[in-house]
Amino acid sequence: MTAIDFTCCDLLDANEALQAQGRLAVLPPLFKSYGALTRFAGPAHTLKVFEDNALVRAALEQAGAGRVLVVDGGGSLRTALVGGKLGQLAQDNGWAGLLVFGCIRDAEEINACRIGVRALNTMPQKSSKQGFGSVGAVVDIAGVKIAPGDWIYADADGVLAAAQALHA
């Protein structure tokens, strides 16, 4: 897959009307950057889970096809939803990146993977693996609604969610 050339600042400047219409949103600056790629973009595949990463693994076992896995973990800081093995799985299966409204672990392993990851923080405590949650729902990531297929753009300046592709 060819890398998408963009900056979040330029996309915002060029799409003020979409932002005014509520079709383009800037996520709050809560997310830390992990993974070898500091810039990534792709259509969203959404999950809603809470301190349980079985659905995260199931999603990452599928072909990513350049998508961004958006995980609404409820903002929990008590357990990690993604670790090094899942980071490697995301890389191997062609995911563009991960946006985790929660924590990751094995940060050094994830940083070695050729993917981009945004998460609230790191936490060594692993999550449960019971499979509770939902796939393909509209999720709320720090106050921003993201639907399956919305475009996620992330770079050193932040994260955007758009109802359509913004890049040329």
Side-chain angles (χ1 to χ4, degrees), residues 44-111:
H45 177 72
T46 61
L47 300 177
K48 183 170 180 59
V49 300
F50 189 73
E51 298 179 0
D52 183 325
N53 77 344
L55 293 177
V56 177
R57 173 175 284 284
L60 294 174
E61 288 174 342
Q62 301 171 20
R67 293 176 294 167
V68 174
L69 183 61
V70 177
V71 182
D72 177 357
S76 174
L77 301 176
R78 298 187 314 185
T79 66
L81 295 173
V82 177
K85 290 178 183 162
L86 294 185
Q88 185 68 47
L89 196 58
Q91 172 191 287
D92 294 348
N93 288 335
W95 290 86
L98 302 146
L99 174 60
V100 182
F101 190 42
C103 291
I104 65 160
R105 67 190 222 156
D106 304 319
E108 290 181 4
E109 291 176 35
I110 289 175
N111 287 341

Side-chain angles (χ1 to χ4, degrees), residues 1-153:
M1 176 169 169
T2 306
I4 298 169
D5 187 26
F6 71 93
T7 69
C8 287
C9 294
D10 288 345
L11 290 177
L12 276 172
D13 292 350
N15 292 284
E16 291 176 352
L18 286 177
Q19 191 174 16
Q21 296 165 7
R23 297 179 49 79
L24 169 60
V26 181
L27 276 71
L30 306 173
F31 297 90
K32 295 180 180 182
S33 180
Y34 304 94
L37 303 180
T38 58
R39 182 184 319 182
F40 62 92
H45 177 72
T46 61
L47 300 177
K48 183 170 180 59
V49 300
F50 189 73
E51 298 179 0
D52 183 325
N53 77 344
L55 293 177
V56 177
R57 173 175 284 284
L60 294 174
E61 288 174 342
Q62 301 171 20
R67 293 176 294 167
V68 174
L69 183 61
V70 177
V71 182
D72 177 357
S76 174
L77 301 176
R78 298 187 314 185
T79 66
L81 295 173
V82 177
K85 290 178 183 162
L86 294 185
Q88 185 68 47
L89 196 58
Q91 172 191 287
D92 294 348
N93 288 335
W95 290 86
L98 302 146
L99 174 60
V100 182
F101 190 42
C103 291
I104 65 160
R105 67 190 222 156
D106 304 319
E108 290 181 4
E109 291 176 35
I110 289 175
N111 287 341
C113 295
R114 295 233 8 107
I115 58 167
V117 177
R118 295 296 183 282
L120 295 178
N121 216 320
T122 58
M123 164 53 81
Q125 180 66 49
K126 67 181 177 179
S127 67
S128 70
K129 296 170 183 2
Q130 307 225 356
F132 297 126
S134 60
V135 178
V138 175
V139 295
D140 185 318
I141 306 295
V144 175
K145 302 281 190 224
I146 299 175
D150 284 357
W151 272 80
I152 305 300
Y153 294 89

